[in-house]
Amino acid sequence: MTVTIKTPAEIEKMRVAGRLAAEVLEMIGEHVKPGVTTEEIDRICHDYIVNVQKAIPAPLNYGAAPGRPGFPKSICTSLNHVVCHGIPNEKPLKDGDVLNIDVTVIKDGYHGDTSKMFMVGKVPEWAVKLAQVTQESMYKGIQLVKPGARLGDIGEVIQKHAEKHGFSVVREYCGHGIGAVFHEEPQVLHYGRAGTGMELKEGMTFTIEPMINQGRPETRLLGDGWTAITKDRKLSAQWEHTVLVTADGYEILTLRSDDTLPRTSA
């Protein structure tokens, strides 16, 4: 797979898909509360994407192959010690849970991919802190995006910020190029050394989506073939945005009204 440089027309489609993905996360917030199941949250998101946005939920049946069923739901819901790719189910949310909802929308053939952390009821202070540091790490990575920067610059700033607060960075999962294809080159690692890795060029689009653990960085894949959890069963947090490399910096294609970073670096 190669890195695709998007044309102005493709970038416009990415903006639309990104905005729709952001709108799903804005819409679902009021539904995330104790007693609600992630299955119900998935159904609400699915209906909104399909019926209101007239778009396609990218995760549904993603990865299907002979002898292997695809992902069974329209969003990923990763709860507490689930790192990523959690499958919505019938278990009700409870007070103190932390939940990542990951949404990818396809509109007019292009993908918008984003996730955010939701606090369910009253959440312990240290869980709030983990989510906050993870979001700060993502922001710090985004702020370094510009032509001529390197992927290692992003990885290093995220890793340093997380580890400074006593947390660890997941190694097995990373950000990725995105466009007409859900997952393409480059791989965007959330650890590394500044000055190394691929050089960023105007027109590249990719996700920055650090997964930061309260305890150790190791993960384990559950028997369903999708759900990744922390090996030590301690909490994990994740935030994600789809980002465009502009002529002089970045543009966040999945920006929400609750974000504190400006849409563009200009």
Side-chain angles (χ1 to χ4, degrees):
M1 256 193 295
T2 55
V3 175
T4 62
I5 300 295
K6 309 302 186 294
T7 66
E10 289 177 310
I11 289 167
E12 204 41 58
K13 290 180 180 182
M14 295 283 293
R15 284 193 183 107
V16 172
R19 190 179 73 245
L20 294 178
E23 284 171 4
V24 176
L25 290 180
E26 291 176 331
M27 175 277 302
I28 200 62
E30 64 180 310
H31 301 281
V32 180
K33 52 193 174 192
V36 175
T37 67
T38 49
E39 175 97 27
E40 202 174 329
I41 290 168
D42 174 75
R43 183 183 54 74
I44 295 166
C45 289
H46 176 89
D47 290 349
Y48 187 78
I49 293 166
V50 172
N51 300 327
V52 178
Q53 298 183 333
K54 309 291 187 216
I56 299 165
L60 187 60
N61 298 318
Y62 177 80
R68 174 186 160 89
F71 191 81
K73 299 291 178 180
S74 294
I75 60 170
C76 298
T77 50
S78 299
L79 190 64
N80 298 331
H81 64 281
V82 177
V83 174
C84 60
H85 307 150
I87 300 172
N89 61 31
E90 284 299 340
K91 194 175 166 192
L93 296 173
K94 61 185 192 304
D95 200 52
D97 280 341
V98 293
L99 175 69
N100 175 275
I101 298 180
D102 192 339
V103 170
T104 307
V105 168
I106 308 171
K107 183 75 171 180
D108 206 6
Y110 283 77
H111 293 72
D113 188 2
T114 184
S115 83
K116 76 171 272 190
M117 297 300 294
F118 293 85
M119 308 292 129
V120 184
K122 187 161 172 45
V123 171
E125 204 176 307
W126 45 266
V128 174
K129 171 86 169 170
L130 173 64
Q132 183 188 334
V133 167
T134 304
Q135 186 180 34
E136 289 167 0
S137 298
M138 176 189 66
Y139 281 167
K140 284 176 179 292
I142 291 171
Q143 286 173 303
L144 294 182
V145 171
K146 62 178 183 184
R150 294 191 175 271
L151 287 175
D153 304 350
I154 297 169
E156 183 181 278
V157 76
I158 289 171
Q159 181 181 4
K160 278 189 166 166
H161 190 66
E163 291 177 353
K164 182 176 84 179
H165 290 277
F167 302 131
S168 65
V169 179
V170 169
R171 302 298 201 268
E172 291 94 332
Y173 302 93
C174 62
H176 52 88
I178 186 167
V181 177
F182 193 168
H183 297 96
E184 60 182 27
E185 292 298 326
Q187 289 199 327
V188 182
L189 305 182
H190 304 114
Y191 60 94
R193 238 176 49 248
T196 66
M198 182 181 289
E199 187 179 325
L200 304 186
K201 292 184 166 57
E202 182 182 356
M204 287 170 68
T205 49
F206 51 82
T207 69
I208 298 179
E209 49 178 303
M211 285 143 271
I212 307 296
N213 291 351
Q214 178 197 2
R216 296 186 53 77
E218 293 83 14
T219 67
R220 186 165 70 79
L221 192 63
L222 295 187
D224 60 29
W226 290 105
T227 309
I229 65 168
T230 57
K231 225 173 196 175
D232 59 12
R233 315 268 307 187
K234 289 188 174 175
L235 284 191
S236 188
Q238 182 190 19
W239 297 77
E240 174 182 19
H241 272 312
T242 299
V243 180
L244 163 71
V245 184
T246 63
D248 53 5
Y250 68 81
E251 179 182 340
I252 303 171
L253 301 178
T254 47
L255 195 81
R256 296 181 312 278
S257 53
D258 58 280
D259 272 301
T260 55
L261 207 59
R263 174 176 291 278
T264 63
S265 51

